[in-house]
Amino acid sequence: MDASRYHQSFEILSKRPLCPDTWHFEVEAPLVAAKIEAGQFVVVRPNARSERMPLSIAGWDRKAGTLRLVIARAGFTSGEAVAMEVGDRFADLVGPLGQRSHVARHAGACVVLGGGYGTGAILPTARDLKALGNTVYGVVGARSAGRLLLVEELASVCDRVLVTTNDGSEGIRGFVTDALGTILAEEPVSFCLAV
């Protein structure tokens, strides 16, 4: 058996800041990209000495063989990851892991709620729900306007996006559950995913 056909470089192809201490990465991983589904995750080690770090998938491109990851600096290992630059390579990336999101056609609206970097994780499920013909609402929450993530990306796959900030600097003052209450007051909701 030719082991080289299973080789993946896990090269960082792009990196962009989303807000303080949070970045969006695009990583070469063709074997994982070929199989990943909404709701699944990967485990990354930035270098050979790093701890294993589970990460939700913010998207992928099967044809290009790439994954999109949102990484927030929260501890030592995530700090190692976000210090890496375009052209660097993760030591390893294992996946897809976990169960696929259970998506179906629903009678009522579907709502996906993302707080902080959780917004990246709801993007693939929102896209799949919309592709099935559902009415999909996205809700993005953060402590303040400067910490909102991926609002435009979510808007591209949802019928409507509501924004909440704890301090009221943008959108609804409060939490994602406050926006959910607004939606529930307007129409029946059959499906809700919160990350």
Side-chain angles (χ1 to χ4, degrees), residues 120-168:
I122 64 174
L123 275 165
T125 301
R127 183 203 61 227
D128 287 0
L129 287 165
K130 188 65 186 163
L132 290 171
N134 291 294
T135 297
V136 181
Y137 291 96
V139 180
V140 178
R143 288 180 289 187
S144 63
R147 293 192 168 272
L148 288 165
L149 303 179
L150 305 169
V151 175
E152 291 158 4
E153 289 88 339
L154 190 60
S156 74
V157 296
C158 291
D159 293 286
R160 180 177 168 203
V161 171
L162 287 81
V163 169
T164 67
T165 52
N166 298 12
D167 65 3

Side-chain angles (χ1 to χ4, degrees), residues 77-148:
T77 303
S78 58
E80 289 179 318
V82 300
M84 298 175 78
E85 297 297 337
V86 172
D88 291 341
R89 300 169 193 275
F90 291 132
D92 53 52
L93 187 151
V94 177
L97 302 168
Q99 295 293 316
R100 184 205 196 307
S101 294
H102 301 288
V103 296
R105 181 77 171 99
H106 295 281
C110 299
V111 181
V112 294
L113 303 102
Y117 59 85
T119 306
I122 64 174
L123 275 165
T125 301
R127 183 203 61 227
D128 287 0
L129 287 165
K130 188 65 186 163
L132 290 171
N134 291 294
T135 297
V136 181
Y137 291 96
V139 180
V140 178
R143 288 180 289 187
S144 63
R147 293 192 168 272
L148 288 165

Side-chain angles (χ1 to χ4, degrees), residues 28-52:
E28 180 185 48
L31 298 177
V32 179
K35 300 287 185 181
I36 196 92
E37 297 289 347
Q40 292 185 304
F41 68 99
V42 295
V43 172
V44 173
R45 281 191 320 147
N47 62 63
R49 298 170 315 283
S50 298
E51 293 181 345
R52 292 180 297 272

Side-chain angles (χ1 to χ4, degrees), residues 19 27 59:
C19 72
V27 179

Side-chain angles (χ1 to χ4, degrees), residues 109 111 137-139 160 162 178-189:
V111 181
Y137 291 96
V139 180
R160 180 177 168 203
L162 287 81
D178 296 312
L180 177 59
T182 299
I183 296 165
L184 287 168
E186 293 174 0
E187 67 179 287
V189 171

